[in-house]
Amino acid sequence: MRTKDNHLHQIDFVRLVTFAGVILDHVMMGPAAPQASSTVGGVEVFLRYTRYGFFALTGFVLTYQYRHRDLKVAPFLRRRFKLIGLPFVVWSLFYWLYGHYLGGGLTNIADTVRSAHDAALAGKSLVYDLITGTAWYHLYFLSVSMQIYLVFPIALWVLRRTWGRHRYLLAGSFAIHAVLLLMMVRPQHGIFTHGVVGLVWRHLEVTIFPYQFFILSGAIAAMHFEAFQSFARRRRAQVFAVGLVVVAATLGYFLWLVHHGEEMFRATNVFMLHNTFAYAAIIAMLYCLGTLWQERRTPGSVVARFMRTAADRSFGIYLAHAIALDVVQRYIVVDVRTNSAVVIVVDYLATVAVTILIVEALRRSPLSLVTTGRSMIDPAAQRVSRSAPVGLAAVVVGVALRYSVAPIAGTAILGTGVLLLVSAAWVAWRRRASTPAVA
């Protein structure tokens, strides 16, 4: 008999598609894609759902885990900040150093501590990046996630005590969302330009406020999980019919705006209110597809194992993909002279490959917890016979690139290969040391 599986396989599906989408979005924002193209802009409009999708998933998963459990605030925050906060600090420091390296190599990094004055300025810069989540363009997600963890105990308390009135909470949340987005894309005056309010407003995109509607939507869906899940299964056709109409209307309006002279940056802005409906529709359709996957998956199959592995690696992939994308675009794809669509595909595949290599190396190393938010893969479960050759191949490719056409890309791949080899050697030593001696 099949045992009951309480794992949210549909969330694995949504998470995998969303992480794949955010990488594609960042690829298309780079030099590989013509930024004035309405085709590229049209694709990017819908890929921007990923930002809100991340936060809807966060609200959903947190609430699902605690809807029937007591939440002890101190242990909850301690665990969450360890799994998110440590990688956030480590990657912020890494990207901060990487940015300085790009600005002038190791000499530029050394200059940040050349004198007490320089060190103080560097410290302020790093602290600013840690507070705002802006050490690199994608780290705001972790900063906002930690803000969600801070308010989640209160939010859960409110949801439990407003049972039966969640629809009104959601309506009020959307009203706030609509007003906020309308204001964000327009020049502000008065109190929004100075003081504490002005400071927060200038950094509003790295705060919880523009995302609260989607976070609450995910949380309320999880609070009513059985009804929500049943609806997603029974009404797939209707959800897709409405969703596709919304997406088509949004695309039509986007093309109308561009045709009438709207700047591409503004037309594809993630904070334009009219795009919100398409983002909600895409998230709903993805969840329905996820329930289809949940129903038809075969436990133990290759695809099922892949989905579980991808879910395990997803957070690390998000953190590492930016460095992979940068080295690929800066030193490899930029020299490719061919059709833009081909360049985008090559850029995407190369970025995904380098990202997976980095994350797999980190997951197999003692650095796993502080870089991926997950404990190192059990040494007993690691296959040294597989990881060692991959590490060696990465070293060879890295050396070839480093001393030819792509020094930084080569260095990144070389360093990843060395980490994989060192971790494989350490795992092999651990196994040998733990094997009982034969009398």
Side-chain angles (χ1 to χ4, degrees):
M1 295 178 61
R2 292 177 60 181
T3 58
K4 185 177 181 180
D5 186 357
N6 292 321
H7 184 78
L8 298 177
H9 297 285
Q10 69 272 36
I11 294 299
D12 289 347
F13 176 87
V14 176
R15 183 181 286 117
L16 175 62
V17 174
T18 301
F19 276 107
V22 77
I23 295 176
L24 180 58
D25 183 30
H26 290 163
V27 165
M28 298 187 74
M29 290 172 64
Q35 297 305 306
S37 167
S38 58
T39 301
V40 171
V43 173
E44 284 191 302
V45 164
F46 299 115
L47 288 175
R48 301 287 159 82
Y49 92 89
T50 54
R51 179 180 296 223
Y52 295 109
F54 280 144
F55 296 122
L57 280 174
T58 302
F60 185 96
V61 172
L62 281 176
T63 307
Y64 181 82
Q65 290 175 343
Y66 288 97
R67 63 186 183 132
H68 297 318
R69 292 168 51 191
D70 289 335
L71 189 154
K72 297 180 179 178
V73 177
F76 168 79
L77 293 178
R78 184 165 55 247
R79 172 174 170 76
R80 290 290 167 177
F81 275 83
K82 180 179 76 171
L83 299 181
I84 297 290
L86 287 176
F88 173 66
V89 171
V90 169
W91 282 101
S92 292
L93 179 60
F94 169 80
Y95 282 111
W96 187 85
L97 291 171
Y98 179 67
H100 280 76
Y101 180 82
L102 293 178
L106 294 176
T107 301
N108 196 40
I109 294 177
D111 287 342
T112 61
V113 292
R114 189 73 65 185
S115 66
H117 176 71
D118 293 334
L121 288 177
K124 290 179 181 179
S125 170
L126 183 57
V127 169
Y128 173 84
D129 286 344
L130 288 171
I131 293 174
T132 60
T134 52
W136 212 253
Y137 57 83
H138 67 312
L139 294 179
Y140 75 92
F141 170 64
L142 279 73
S143 179
V144 176
S145 296
M146 289 186 284
Q147 295 170 51
I148 295 173
Y149 299 149
L150 284 174
V151 303
F152 179 70
I154 299 173
L156 185 62
W157 181 87
V158 171
L159 288 172
R160 285 173 174 169
R161 280 154 183 78
T162 56
W163 190 268
R165 297 185 291 276
H166 289 165
R167 70 195 71 175
Y168 306 117
L169 282 179
L170 202 57
S173 173
F174 181 77
I176 295 171
H177 180 75
V179 171
L180 196 60
L181 262 60
L182 287 171
M183 293 175 65
M184 286 179 69
V185 296
R186 288 164 174 80
Q188 293 303 308
H189 308 282
I191 192 174
F192 295 102
T193 61
H194 62 272
V196 175
V197 175
L199 180 64
V200 173
W201 190 266
R202 289 194 298 274
H203 299 90
L204 205 61
E205 71 279 1
V206 297
T207 71
I208 196 174
F209 301 115
Y211 316 112
Q212 52 82 29
F213 169 70
F214 284 88
I215 298 166
L216 183 62
S217 298
I220 290 178
M223 286 294 286
H224 301 267
F225 176 73
E226 288 76 17
F228 178 72
Q229 179 79 351
S230 176
F231 177 86
R233 286 175 168 173
R234 288 185 293 106
R235 303 294 185 183
R236 285 193 193 110
Q238 292 91 327
V239 170
F240 268 91
V242 173
L244 291 175
V245 168
V246 172
V247 167
T250 304
L251 179 60
Y253 187 56
F254 162 79
L255 293 173
W256 183 87
L257 287 174
V258 172
H259 178 72
H260 285 80
E262 183 81 286
E263 292 183 3
M264 191 65 67
F265 174 79
R266 184 175 174 84
T268 59
N269 193 324
V270 70
F271 297 117
M272 296 297 286
L273 178 60
H274 60 265
N275 291 332
T276 296
F277 304 100
Y279 300 147
I282 292 170
I283 294 169
M285 288 190 290
L286 272 181
Y287 189 89
C288 288
L289 284 176
T291 62
L292 194 63
W293 157 250
Q294 181 187 35
E295 293 170 1
R296 301 190 178 187
R297 65 180 291 276
T298 302
S301 66
V302 173
V303 179
R305 292 199 305 271
F306 169 78
M307 293 294 289
R308 288 296 294 266
T309 301
D312 174 84
R313 308 299 197 266
S314 59
F315 183 52
I317 287 173
Y318 180 81
L319 291 166
H321 87 274
I323 178 65
L325 175 60
D326 191 72
V327 298
V328 166
Q329 287 187 336
R330 190 179 297 273
Y331 295 102
I332 297 178
V333 175
V334 72
D335 295 325
V336 177
R337 296 289 183 267
T338 185
N339 181 274
S340 295
V342 175
V343 177
I344 290 172
V345 171
V346 171
D347 190 355
Y348 185 79
L349 294 178
T351 298
V352 169
V354 175
T355 302
I356 291 174
L357 176 65
I358 293 171
V359 173
E360 290 299 322
L362 291 173
R363 288 289 285 114
R364 286 165 169 75
S365 78
L367 299 174
S368 182
L369 182 62
V370 299
T371 55
T372 69
R374 293 182 178 270
S375 298
M376 175 185 178
I377 295 176
D378 185 359
Q382 293 193 36
R383 298 178 63 177
V384 176
S385 59
R386 177 181 295 178
S387 57
V390 172
L392 182 60
V395 169
V396 172
V397 172
V399 169
L401 290 174
R402 190 183 192 288
Y403 294 101
S404 57
V405 295
I408 292 184
T411 301
I413 296 173
L414 171 61
T416 304
V418 169
L419 176 60
L420 201 53
L421 286 175
V422 170
S423 298
W426 182 76
V427 168
W429 176 81
R430 279 279 304 272
R431 287 181 180 175
R432 184 173 180 180
S434 61
T435 302
V438 180

